[in-house]
Amino acid sequence: GKGWTAAVHTARRAEQRRGMKILTDPVVIKVPFENDVHPHLRDEATLGHMLDHPGLVGTREVIEVDNVPHLVMEHVHGVTLRRCSGSLDPFAITEILRQLAVALYALHNLQDKGVSLRAVHLDVKPSNVILTFDGEVKLIDFGSARFVDKEHDPGENIVVGTPAYMSPEQIQSLPLDGRSDIYSLGTL
């Protein structure tokens, strides 16, 4: 598939085991369209490596091909919430929102060596939510995610995300925290 800054491809890695080539489980590889998105892709990779929650799809590794970083991520078998719109009963919707809230709690409370990283997703929307065939809910695409500093950097007036799901603070480029993601969750 294609996103705003990158394309994603399903792939398998061939490994040598006992003299035989074995194909591993499928993975997803995210490849940027242009060179100027490399810093954002590296930020996504940094955050993705830290994610350790079943509801958050992180980065397994970063491989360089012709000096272009490619993110290797878990392949999730399922469909997006966007594709299921209108076909879910109230109990299913409640469970989806519950699982997403738990995943966002894990993201917002992410720590590195005991220090809160204040991570936010900033693009919670139906096409970034996968409903697996096993009944799990997974949040994907951390390309807009940021580590929020205690002080807002007024020089960074770049608004990221999808306008229909953004909090008012996000649209206005005001200081953000996890509440912006919770607002987006409420718009689903």
Side-chain angles (χ1 to χ4, degrees), residues 18-153:
R18 296 184 189 165
M20 298 175 56
K21 263 193 182 172
I22 307 286
L23 294 178
T24 63
D25 290 336
V27 294
V28 172
I29 299 180
K30 187 172 189 177
V31 183
F33 292 135
E34 298 182 20
N35 290 341
D36 62 344
V37 299
H38 287 193
H40 295 292
L41 206 62
R42 291 188 199 286
D43 290 346
E44 181 178 358
T46 299
L47 176 60
H49 277 298
M50 296 176 170
L51 299 177
D52 186 23
H53 186 274
L56 304 171
V57 176
T59 304
R60 289 185 177 174
E61 66 178 303
V62 178
I63 55 175
E64 297 267 342
V65 178
D66 298 327
N67 290 326
V68 177
H70 293 54
L71 273 57
V72 180
M73 299 171 281
E74 168 189 4
H75 182 272
V76 180
H77 298 278
V79 296
T80 65
L81 180 58
R82 180 178 175 191
R83 291 191 61 195
C84 296
S85 290
S87 65
L88 298 169
D89 65 63
F91 295 108
I93 293 168
T94 302
E95 179 57 18
I96 290 165
L97 293 176
R98 186 195 68 76
Q99 286 189 44
L100 282 172
V102 170
L104 286 171
Y105 179 83
L107 174 65
H108 298 156
N109 290 283
L110 191 64
Q111 294 186 356
D112 184 29
K113 298 176 185 162
V115 176
S116 175
L117 297 176
R118 297 177 35 112
V120 289
H121 187 278
L122 299 179
D123 202 18
V124 177
K125 61 183 180 181
S127 59
N128 283 341
V129 176
I130 302 283
L131 309 177
T132 72
F133 299 128
D134 297 330
E136 294 180 311
V137 178
K138 298 200 177 246
L139 185 60
I140 63 169
D141 194 356
F142 287 81
S144 297
R146 299 286 181 265
F147 297 113
V148 181
D149 296 327
K150 291 185 185 213
E151 296 296 322
H152 179 63
D153 179 4

